[in-house]
Amino acid sequence: KDEHEIPPDTFVRVALSYHTKVVKVKKTGVVRADPCPQFSQSFHFKVQETLLDISSLSVTVFESKSLLERDRVLGSCVLGGCMFARGKGEEHWEQVIKFPKQHIEMWHPLVPKTENKKGREKAKATPAIEHDPTSASF
């Protein structure tokens, strides 16, 4: 890689899904030309407790392109129950549900779109859950 190359503009898209259907999408602002971008934003998703077993969060990092070009996926990870995630993604989901009043942070490997799991990047996902009798927020 050229040391004079300008780092890409990046943003994160967080998508809540029920089974395979995306029901809500939220995005961070774009971080411009930063080799180690930090996205200091939090998102809350209301999810009925009865839907937690069929819910998942997909966290995807994009390179922001011009209006005429399609944004490029740099990597992603999934948080959810055993039906959707394994390893850190499943562990984080379980911790958030088990301790709904706590802010739980955990690093997650980002899996590149076109590559296998070798040479993964890392990203920190910090969903929060707030229980009330009928719903939970992530």
Side-chain angles (χ1 to χ4, degrees):
K1 219 175 187 187
D2 183 5
E3 66 182 58
H4 300 292
E5 186 177 324
I6 298 171
D9 297 339
T10 54
F11 68 92
V12 176
R13 174 184 177 257
V14 182
L16 172 67
S17 297
Y18 296 153
H19 290 294
T20 58
K21 180 180 170 62
V22 174
V23 293
K24 187 74 174 176
V25 175
K26 299 185 180 188
K27 294 193 290 188
T28 66
V30 174
V31 174
R32 304 250 177 238
D34 190 329
C36 190
Q38 294 185 26
F39 304 94
S40 299
Q41 293 176 251
S42 62
F43 299 108
H44 294 271
F45 295 90
K46 292 262 186 211
V47 178
Q48 291 179 7
E49 200 165 341
T50 57
L51 297 176
L52 287 173
D53 288 344
I54 64 163
S55 302
S56 65
L57 287 175
S58 175
V59 180
T60 307
V61 180
F62 286 87
E63 176 180 359
S64 180
K65 296 290 198 170
S66 70
L67 291 175
L68 301 176
E69 293 181 85
R70 186 181 188 117
D71 295 330
R72 184 172 70 95
V73 173
L74 298 176
S76 64
C77 66
V78 176
L79 284 69
C82 63
M83 201 160 65
F84 306 101
R86 295 286 186 268
K88 290 280 190 186
E90 182 181 9
E91 179 185 337
H92 197 167
W93 186 264
E94 289 172 358
Q95 290 295 308
V96 168
I97 291 170
K98 187 174 180 179
F99 303 105
K101 300 290 184 193
Q102 293 183 21
H103 181 81
I104 299 169
E105 292 185 2
M106 194 177 291
W107 285 96
H108 293 270
L110 289 180
V111 180
K113 183 179 178 185
T114 57
E115 297 177 21
N116 61 16
K117 296 181 180 183
K118 294 177 186 171
R120 297 187 245 189
E121 297 291 326
K122 297 259 182 181
K124 189 181 274 189
T126 57
I129 186 169
E130 299 168 1
H131 270 285
D132 68 28
T134 60
S135 67
S137 299
F138 288 87

